[in-house]
Amino acid sequence: MLGMSANSVSYNEQGSVESGVDAAQENSSIPASISSGGAASSLFSADYKKNEDLKEMLESNKESLKLEAMKRIVGLIAKGKNASELFPAVVKNVASKNIELKKLVYVYLVRYAEEQQDLALLSISTFQRALKDPNQLIRASALRVLSSIRVPIIVPIMMLAIKEAATDLSPYVRKTAAHAIQKLFSLDPDQKEHLIEVIEKLLKDKSTLVAGSVVMAFEEVCPDRIDLIHKNYRKLCNLLVDVEEWGQVVIIHMLTRYARTQFVSPWREDAVFDENSEKAFYDSEEERRVDQSKPYIMDPDHRLLLRNTKPLLQSRNTAVVMAVSQLYWHLSPKHELSIITKSLVRLLRSHREVQYIVLQNIATMSIQRKGMFEPFMKSFYVRSTDATHIKTLKLEILTNLANEANISTILREFQTYVKSQDKAFAAATIQAIGCCATNISEVTDTCLNGLVLLLSNRDETVVAESVVVIKKLLQTQPSQHSDIIKHMAKLFDNITVPMARASILWLMGEYCEHVPKIAPDVLRKMAKTFTDEEDIVKLQIVNLAAKLYLTNSKQTKLLTQYILNLGKYDQNYDIRDRTRFIRQLIVPNEKSGALSKYARRILMAPKPAPVLQSAFKDRDRFQLGTLSHTLNSQASGYLELSDWPAVAPDQSVRNVEVVEPVKEAGAPALSKSKPAKSNEKFYSDSEEEEGEEEEGSNSEDSSSSSSEESVRESESEENSNDSNKSSSSQSEKSSSESDSEKKKKTLKNKKLQQQKPDSKDRKQKNGNAVKVESRSESESGSESSSSESSSESRSELDSDSDSGTDQKKNTKPKPVQSKPVIKVEKKEVSLLDLDDFSPAPVTTPKSSILSPNLLSDLQGLLISPTASALQASSPVFVPETSHELLHRMTGKGLSAQYRFTRQPCIYGNSMVSLQLTLSNRTDQALENIHISEKSSTGQNIHRFNAIERLEPQASVTVSMGVDFNDSTQTANFQLCTKEDEFSVSIQPAVGELLLPITMSEADFTKEQGKLVGMNESSATITITPENVSSQSVNRKVVSVANLGVIPSGQENIYRFAGKTVSSGSLVLVSVALKDPDAMITINTEKTVMGSMLLRQVKTALTNSGP
């Protein structure tokens, strides 16, 4: 029995006694006729006969038994059992007519063909016969198995089979041939040239089923053979939208590399793009454009790629969306990048793994293009359910997006993150606060104050990270922050994290001259605990001793010698070496060399402040969306993007061959004979049938059609929505237009000639309305057209625009007025328009008074009940001084002055009111003085009504409003006359962005108590004697800022209150006089404005004079 057991176990190479149990269970289900005597045998004999029974089943005449046997065999393989001895029995069934059985045989052969090479060769003839099978599935399966047999001797047979399959009538078989190319190349790279011939043939295939697979084979075998793509480039671009999803990913990545070698960079300053050029074409209604003066125009093939990939941003496959996004990032003009933003933000609702990849790419993008993701900043706020690595990436992105306008919002968000239970995330948040403080100088002091408050936190991790970040920040301006160093020294005994203790000791030694009394005492304490400290702390103790010996040897000489003696016998050799070096450097003796003379210069040399920069700063050297970018290291198989060529290669290489143009000239006529009729009917009867057609249309279909350019796509989609809303009004118009339908078709060419003067007359009468209508109709027409050359599209669109305009002449004015054609904002209707992703304003959002104290509870973030009760008051002081807007020499005789009225603006609650004085200094009248509608910045400007005529030496005063978004950024616009345009700018002082409010002293104190920590800025100044009186202080402060004076019951304390014009955030100013000093405190959640206002108030109070 023992011997039988041993044989049984050795028989099953990968099995154990457990396999015997499996065999017994399987044999119980085998028919009695086959497993005769099996039940009477023992457990081990059943295991011995298991495979014999399967062999009998495979040799049976019944298809059902063979199928059952193959299912069990494949099941054994799936469990990791060894079924190689059944190879001969399985191979016999490869010629079975049962397709299910054949598939299972193929699965088995792929697994064991390499191990049983001799037996596998016996089945080659069967596979070759199967390649001629009438069933396409059998042909494809035979080729798949043949290419999976890793036997070098059959390479010629595999090559012949691939060549035959490449010309198969079935696209499924041709797709399998493309897959087989990669397998054969990995088996025998010497076949590369023959495989390239097959790839070249398959690249010409017009089937969408084959396109993705053959491009994958191209990428594996010959990615450098760009010449194979030239003739197929336009075909691949047009097929792209119909290719299966993973094929789309491969093709997009390949076309990205191709475009970088064939097109000139669109990022040049003198670039001209189709959108702008065609807008000019329609606006001016000229017959042709003259762009010869422009040095660069985007290649039509470049535009074709961008246009055909744009609809894929709505794909449900996240890899496709990511691939299109990286294509736009690497290929599109910078002003078109914004279209990928909403798609990437949409992906943040996917699984955690998808979020990780997308956030990594957004982090890289946000370093170079902050404006892309700033409107969607709320999408990157951390959720409590996010994993730590997701939280860290979102933190990185928020840090990259931080600027002067939104830093208050971001810092308020960071305050909550610091309280997180995830210690690693809390530490990363503190580092992010340090990065913001470094990058935005206005909030450096605010961040420092908040980090100092964190030093008293109970959590050691938070305290340690705060110390490290404070150390880096103090290196920028240490002389101004000796108080912080003293505070850290007091907390030193309570801090236990080695890195934090080492950082404090480094600060003490580096800036020991700023704390001459505290540093020696800290060294004394360290001498007591030297032997118990960590190695990193010991090294800094030695450094501190050496620096104090050089600067204050009288007090620290003995301490230094004691510490050096302790270090001399330390267990760590690094500390022993450092101690010996320091002793020879600072203690001169006969043996010491020349270095001891320069000890002070060596140890006390000024150190450059560390640069806190993003970890993603250098990742843009890798292509976005690749494994190399994710790992930040070049992975095997990574293909680098080439730089843009200085001169564009010949674009004629992408033209089809000699035979093709003849077919193209006639083919559109044949292929478009039906569509042309329907299209023309669509254009001519657009008003009649628009209701029915628009209801059936889909926004996704319209966006995926190959229209002339992306801008027109979005406009036409918008018009389609408007058409749906006004279908009833259009049906009324249809009755009056249907009679003249045939006449319009026959006279189309004649109306083309009449269009220009007619449209010009209409343009003069109706203004911009007619222009927008005619453009929108032509644009909606372009959506239904198929992919054509740019010249054909433009000519057809022009004619359609003409016919659409002529139809309007015959319609009644009332329906035209009721049709909502004119739109101020262009909005693309698509799956991307989700409520969750409504863009957040770029500036700080309107909010009530928040408690920004880093250590306060979340209760402090509740809305203040008194905030809504605050009422604006009239200004205390209105300055009469005017600022020059336009000098008379620059303005060719037109001069302009402006001043801030400090009154609420009548044009909008968020606007600052301005008064402009325009003067004509010439001897001729100036006509049509107005502000251009084009504004180079994002501020909302309310323009004054145009001044028709300004007589010589005359002046006129007008009012206007500007929404500065609570920022001192310059508002740029054009002041125009009839002949000229002058670029002018208004730079507001921070005090002019406020409105005065009234409140009681109790309310002031209550609100001030909520705005502490990061939202409090203060400074102590020495005030001049003439400014000590209450009248003087009030006059000085209100002259700087538009604030209201709050009555104070305390002497020598003056309070002022106001709110920001745009967001309504509270700004509280208090001045406390303590002879001869004055303490100025400003509390506001607009930390940047608070810092700037503090500087101006300090200047005003320290200056003598009115």
Side-chain angles (χ1 to χ4, degrees):
M1 189 70 183
L2 290 172
M4 190 180 298
S5 175
N7 290 336
S8 173
V9 175
S10 63
Y11 177 78
N12 282 311
E13 297 175 7
Q14 300 177 3
S16 61
V17 178
E18 182 183 342
S19 62
V21 179
D22 294 340
Q25 292 173 350
E26 290 188 2
N27 279 327
S28 64
S29 62
I30 298 177
S33 60
I34 296 172
S35 58
S36 60
S41 61
S42 66
L43 176 68
F44 298 104
S45 61
D47 179 49
Y48 178 78
K49 287 198 167 190
K50 179 185 69 170
N51 289 335
E52 293 296 328
D53 295 337
L54 290 174
K55 287 179 183 177
E56 289 181 15
M57 293 176 71
L58 288 170
E59 292 171 358
S60 170
N61 294 327
K62 295 183 178 180
E63 293 290 330
S64 59
L65 292 178
K66 292 181 180 180
L67 192 59
E68 179 70 20
M70 284 307 304
K71 288 180 179 178
R72 294 184 182 178
I73 291 170
V74 172
L76 289 175
I77 296 173
K79 293 178 182 178
K81 306 286 179 64
N82 185 10
S84 59
E85 68 169 10
L86 295 170
F87 196 93
V90 173
V91 167
K92 292 178 184 177
N93 292 284
V94 76
S96 172
K97 294 181 180 179
N98 188 318
I99 294 179
E100 289 296 321
L101 181 59
K102 264 190 174 182
K103 288 181 180 179
L104 293 174
V105 171
Y106 288 150
V107 170
Y108 179 90
L109 291 176
V110 170
R111 170 66 180 81
Y112 288 110
E114 195 167 0
E115 296 178 14
Q116 306 277 348
Q117 295 187 13
D118 295 336
L119 292 174
L121 293 177
L122 298 176
S123 59
I124 295 298
S125 58
T126 307
F127 294 139
Q128 288 178 302
R129 286 196 302 272
L131 290 171
K132 309 288 186 183
D133 195 280
N135 189 324
Q136 62 174 354
L137 294 177
I138 300 299
R139 297 199 302 273
S141 298
L143 179 60
R144 185 179 294 111
V145 175
L146 186 64
S147 61
S148 299
I149 299 174
R150 313 280 299 171
V151 183
I153 196 172
I154 65 164
V155 166
I157 299 175
M158 290 171 63
M159 175 60 73
L160 185 63
I162 289 173
K163 287 184 176 179
E164 290 180 358
T167 58
D168 196 282
L169 292 177
S170 167
Y172 181 70
V173 178
R174 299 198 298 272
K175 176 188 179 74
T176 309
H179 291 163
I181 289 173
Q182 304 166 58
K183 300 177 184 178
L184 180 55
F185 179 71
S186 63
L187 180 63
D188 185 8
D190 295 335
Q191 301 293 324
K192 181 175 181 179
E193 293 303 321
H194 299 291
L195 292 175
I196 289 176
E197 294 176 6
V198 182
I199 290 174
E200 187 174 7
K201 186 184 300 182
L202 287 173
L203 279 171
K204 298 176 183 177
D205 201 306
K206 296 182 180 179
S207 171
T208 55
L209 199 62
V210 182
S213 301
V214 68
V215 171
M216 188 68 217
F218 170 83
E219 291 283 83
E220 288 287 331
V221 178
C222 52
D224 54 335
R225 287 291 303 274
I226 295 294
D227 56 291
L228 299 179
I229 306 298
H230 289 322
K231 303 291 183 187
N232 304 291
Y233 171 80
R234 292 169 186 164
K235 182 198 70 179
L236 287 172
C237 288
N238 292 325
L239 288 180
L240 191 57
V241 74
D242 296 318
V243 177
E244 48 93 18
E245 293 171 336
W246 297 109
Q248 288 174 343
V249 175
V250 176
I251 294 174
I252 290 170
H253 279 281
M254 185 274 293
L255 291 178
T256 304
R257 289 194 307 108
Y258 176 86
R260 285 293 285 259
T261 63
Q262 299 300 312
F263 306 130
V264 179
S265 171
W267 303 335
R268 289 162 44 179
E269 296 295 332
D270 55 358
V272 177
F273 303 102
D274 293 348
E275 289 80 4
N276 297 338
S277 302
E278 291 199 5
K279 282 180 183 177
F281 174 84
Y282 289 114
D283 287 350
S284 61
E285 294 180 348
E286 295 175 357
E287 199 155 7
R288 59 183 180 182
R289 295 170 296 160
V290 181
D291 286 330
Q292 297 175 357
S293 60
K294 299 292 183 182
Y296 169 81
I297 298 178
M298 180 177 280
D299 191 300
D301 288 329
H302 192 170
R303 172 56 62 196
L304 175 70
L305 175 60
L306 295 176
R307 188 173 66 238
N308 285 8
T309 52
K310 182 187 174 186
L312 299 181
L313 287 171
Q314 300 181 23
S315 173
R316 63 184 178 182
N317 188 312
T318 54
V320 175
V321 178
M322 193 64 244
V324 177
S325 299
Q326 66 85 26
L327 179 139
Y328 264 80
W329 176 259
H330 292 296
L331 299 182
S332 74
K334 292 182 178 178
H335 69 272
E336 293 183 26
L337 272 178
S338 57
I339 68 170
I340 69 174
T341 308
K342 193 180 290 186
S343 304
L344 289 173
V345 171
R346 173 171 65 91
L347 298 186
L348 296 180
R349 302 178 68 182
S350 303
H351 301 294
R352 182 180 297 176
E353 296 79 11
V354 174
Q355 286 185 49
Y356 180 70
I357 300 298
V358 173
L359 287 170
Q360 278 199 325
N361 288 276
I362 291 177
T364 302
M365 294 180 186
S366 61
I367 293 175
Q368 297 182 21
R369 308 279 296 175
K370 291 186 179 183
M372 280 178 61
F373 298 98
E374 201 172 336
F376 299 94
M377 193 171 66
K378 286 186 178 178
S379 300
F380 304 110
Y381 286 174
V382 172
R383 300 171 183 265
S384 59
T385 55
D386 288 337
T388 303
H389 60 280
I390 300 294
K391 291 178 180 177
T392 309
L393 281 172
K394 287 186 174 181
L395 203 61
E396 186 76 37
I397 294 170
L398 287 175
T399 307
N400 292 341
L401 296 181
N403 57 32
E404 294 180 7
N406 60 27
I407 186 63
S408 303
T409 307
I410 291 177
L411 286 180
R412 197 161 55 244
E413 189 75 12
F414 285 174
Q415 293 169 19
T416 309
Y417 300 165
V418 170
K419 304 169 189 172
S420 171
Q421 296 300 315
D422 187 345
K423 303 308 175 190
F425 173 56
T429 303
I430 294 172
Q431 290 182 359
I433 293 174
C435 287
C436 292
T438 306
N439 299 333
I440 304 172
S441 58
E442 285 81 1
V443 296
T444 303
D445 295 343
T446 305
C447 292
L448 262 178
N449 294 336
L451 291 172
V452 169
L453 290 175
L454 286 177
L455 293 178
S456 54
N457 196 295
R458 294 179 180 178
D459 187 359
E460 290 184 357
T461 309
V462 173
V463 174
E465 203 63 41
S466 301
V467 170
V468 175
V469 173
I470 288 172
K471 172 201 144 189
K472 294 176 180 178
L473 293 179
L474 287 183
Q475 285 183 256
T476 58
Q477 40 187 350
S479 59
Q480 302 176 18
H481 300 291
S482 56
D483 292 340
I484 295 178
I485 300 176
K486 293 176 183 176
H487 182 66
M488 293 169 72
K490 293 176 183 177
L491 296 173
F492 185 79
D493 293 336
N494 299 325
I495 296 174
T496 57
V497 179
M499 188 64 196
R501 292 173 70 86
S503 297
I504 294 177
L505 290 173
W506 185 91
L507 280 173
M508 291 286 170
E510 189 67 17
Y511 307 116
C512 56
E513 295 175 350
H514 298 296
V515 284
K517 296 180 181 179
I518 296 177
D521 194 52
V522 171
L523 183 64
R524 179 183 60 80
K525 290 181 179 180
M526 288 294 96
K528 292 180 180 179
T529 61
F530 183 87
T531 54
D532 300 327
E533 299 288 349
E534 293 289 334
D535 292 342
I536 188 173
V537 181
K538 289 179 180 178
L539 288 172
Q540 293 304 326
I541 294 172
V542 172
N543 285 348
L544 174 61
K547 292 175 181 177
L548 287 176
Y549 182 86
L550 294 174
T551 58
N552 189 4
S553 60
K554 188 177 295 185
Q555 279 185 299
T556 59
K557 183 175 181 179
L558 294 175
L559 271 175
T560 302
Q561 290 179 357
Y562 175 69
I563 289 171
L564 291 178
N565 287 333
L566 289 175
K568 183 178 180 181
Y569 301 104
D570 196 86
Q571 293 180 353
N572 188 293
Y573 57 83
D574 284 335
I575 297 172
R576 295 198 300 269
D577 290 347
R578 175 73 63 87
T579 303
R580 292 190 186 100
F581 168 72
I582 293 292
R583 186 188 294 276
Q584 293 298 321
L585 185 63
I586 67 174
V587 182
N589 54 37
E590 300 84 15
K591 296 180 181 179
S592 61
L595 271 182
S596 58
K597 300 177 184 178
Y598 306 102
R600 189 180 184 88
R601 290 174 62 183
I602 291 172
L603 291 174
M604 306 299 290
K607 281 81 173 176
V611 179
L612 301 175
Q613 61 185 16
S614 171
F616 289 82
K617 186 174 184 182
D618 299 326
R619 287 207 187 185
D620 56 352
R621 68 182 188 274
F622 297 114
Q623 184 176 351
L624 295 186
T626 60
L627 177 63
S628 298
H629 177 269
T630 302
L631 301 176
N632 198 22
S633 175
Q634 185 162 330
S636 60
Y638 173 71
L639 301 172
E640 288 190 4
L641 280 181
S642 60
D643 293 329
W644 295 100
V647 180
D650 183 14
Q651 62 177 0
S652 62
V653 295
R654 289 185 290 279
N655 295 337
V656 286
E657 296 177 0
V658 182
V659 184
E660 296 289 330
V662 179
K663 292 174 69 177
E664 279 193 0
L670 295 172
S671 63
K672 290 198 303 179
S673 58
K674 276 189 176 181
K677 184 176 180 181
S678 62
N679 284 349
E680 191 165 316
K681 185 176 182 181
F682 173 78
Y683 294 135
S684 58
D685 297 343
S686 60
E687 299 295 321
E688 180 179 72
E689 299 177 0
E690 192 172 6
E692 299 175 4
E693 292 183 9
E694 292 293 334
E695 285 176 8
S697 65
N698 192 326
S699 61
E700 291 186 26
D701 297 337
S702 62
S703 65
S704 62
S705 63
S706 51
S707 58
E708 182 61 23
E709 59 200 24
S710 60
V711 173
R712 297 202 336 231
E713 285 180 8
S714 61
E715 289 181 355
S716 59
E717 286 172 4
E718 182 182 10
N719 290 335
S720 69
N721 287 345
D722 296 337
S723 303
N724 285 331
K725 296 175 184 177
S726 58
S727 58
S728 60
S729 63
Q730 289 175 10
S731 61
E732 293 176 5
K733 291 165 63 180
S734 63
S735 60
S736 63
E737 291 172 1
S738 57
D739 297 332
S740 58
E741 173 188 340
K742 295 181 180 179
K743 186 178 179 181
K744 288 175 192 167
K745 289 184 180 179
T746 56
L747 297 177
K748 189 173 184 180
N749 292 331
K750 184 177 180 181
K751 292 191 176 185
L752 275 172
Q753 303 296 328
Q754 298 173 350
Q755 168 64 19
K756 295 184 179 76
D758 291 346
S759 61
K760 288 180 181 176
D761 295 338
R762 288 166 60 85
K763 187 175 180 180
Q764 292 173 359
K765 292 178 182 178
N766 298 334
N768 292 334
V770 174
K771 179 173 68 177
V772 176
E773 285 179 353
S774 62
R775 281 183 58 198
S776 63
E777 288 199 2
S778 65
E779 288 155 3
S780 62
S782 70
E783 292 245 68
S784 61
S785 63
S786 61
S787 176
E788 299 170 358
S789 65
S790 56
S791 60
E792 289 176 350
S793 300
R794 287 170 191 154
S795 62
E796 288 183 13
L797 288 167
D798 190 22
S799 63
D800 298 336
S801 172
D802 296 338
S803 62
T805 311
D806 288 337
Q807 289 173 7
K808 291 186 187 62
K809 292 181 180 180
N810 298 329
T811 57
K812 296 178 182 180
K814 289 184 180 179
V816 172
Q817 292 174 357
S818 65
K819 182 179 178 181
V821 176
I822 302 173
K823 287 284 181 182
V824 178
E825 298 176 0
K826 289 185 282 187
K827 182 176 180 183
E828 186 170 303
V829 181
S830 67
L831 292 174
L832 308 182
D833 291 331
L834 303 172
D835 293 336
D836 295 348
F837 299 125
S838 56
V842 175
T843 56
T844 307
K846 294 186 178 181
S847 61
S848 298
I849 313 306
L850 300 178
S851 172
N853 186 355
L854 284 171
L855 302 175
S856 65
D857 294 327
L858 290 174
Q859 184 181 2
L861 298 175
L862 297 175
I863 299 176
S864 169
T866 59
S868 59
L870 303 177
Q871 296 181 352
S873 62
S874 57
V876 180
F877 173 78
V878 179
E880 296 296 330
T881 55
S882 296
H883 310 276
E884 185 174 75
L885 183 67
L886 180 65
H887 191 269
R888 59 186 179 82
M889 298 297 291
T890 310
K892 298 181 181 179
L894 175 65
S895 68
Q897 306 277 332
Y898 71 91
R899 74 180 188 89
F900 295 94
T901 63
R902 293 195 172 183
Q903 300 288 344
C905 185
I906 60 174
Y907 306 119
N909 293 333
S910 63
M911 288 188 175
V912 176
S913 179
L914 290 149
Q915 193 177 78
L916 261 64
T917 302
L918 304 171
S919 304
N920 183 1
R921 304 300 183 189
T922 65
D923 52 0
Q924 296 179 351
L926 295 175
E927 297 181 352
N928 192 21
I929 302 174
H930 64 283
I931 294 177
S932 172
E933 294 183 3
K934 298 178 181 178
S935 175
S936 59
T937 54
Q939 287 97 341
N940 183 18
I941 299 176
H942 185 280
R943 301 164 182 82
F944 59 83
N945 295 329
I947 301 170
E948 295 182 0
R949 184 179 179 87
L950 185 60
E951 297 298 333
Q953 305 303 320
S955 297
V956 65
T957 300
V958 293
S959 62
M960 62 181 291
V962 180
D963 185 355
F964 288 101
N965 293 325
D966 290 346
S967 169
T968 56
Q969 293 181 353
T970 307
N972 300 315
F973 55 92
Q974 281 76 38
L975 188 60
C976 309
T977 62
K978 186 177 182 180
E979 293 86 9
D980 301 297
E981 288 188 4
F982 309 105
S983 295
V984 293
S985 60
I986 295 177
Q987 173 83 45
V990 66
E992 305 299 340
L993 304 178
L994 308 174
L995 285 175
I997 60 174
T998 58
M999 61 168 62
S1000 65
E1001 186 177 2
D1003 287 340
F1004 184 97
T1005 307
K1006 182 179 179 182
E1007 298 299 336
Q1008 190 179 35
K1010 296 177 182 179
L1011 294 170
V1012 292
M1014 283 191 176
N1015 293 340
E1016 181 176 277
S1017 304
S1018 60
T1020 303
I1021 61 169
T1022 301
I1023 196 166
T1024 56
E1026 56 267 26
N1027 291 339
V1028 174
S1029 65
S1030 60
Q1031 292 182 352
S1032 177
V1033 172
N1034 290 343
R1035 185 180 69 253
K1036 292 276 188 180
V1037 174
V1038 298
S1039 64
V1040 168
N1042 189 17
L1043 297 168
V1045 179
I1046 306 300
S1048 176
Q1050 298 171 281
E1051 291 186 5
N1052 298 332
I1053 295 181
Y1054 306 98
R1055 297 183 174 90
F1056 309 88
K1059 64 177 182 179
T1060 59
V1061 175
S1062 184
S1063 64
S1065 302
L1066 265 186
V1067 178
L1068 307 177
V1069 179
S1070 60
V1071 180
L1073 299 183
K1074 298 177 182 178
D1075 191 37
D1077 297 332
M1079 180 75 172
I1080 306 170
T1081 305
I1082 296 181
N1083 301 84
T1084 177
E1085 59 186 39
K1086 297 286 186 180
T1087 52
V1088 176
M1089 293 182 68
S1091 300
M1092 299 172 70
L1093 185 59
L1094 179 63
R1095 285 199 294 269
Q1096 294 189 10
V1097 173
K1098 280 169 57 178
T1099 305
L1101 291 177
T1102 52
N1103 289 343
S1104 58

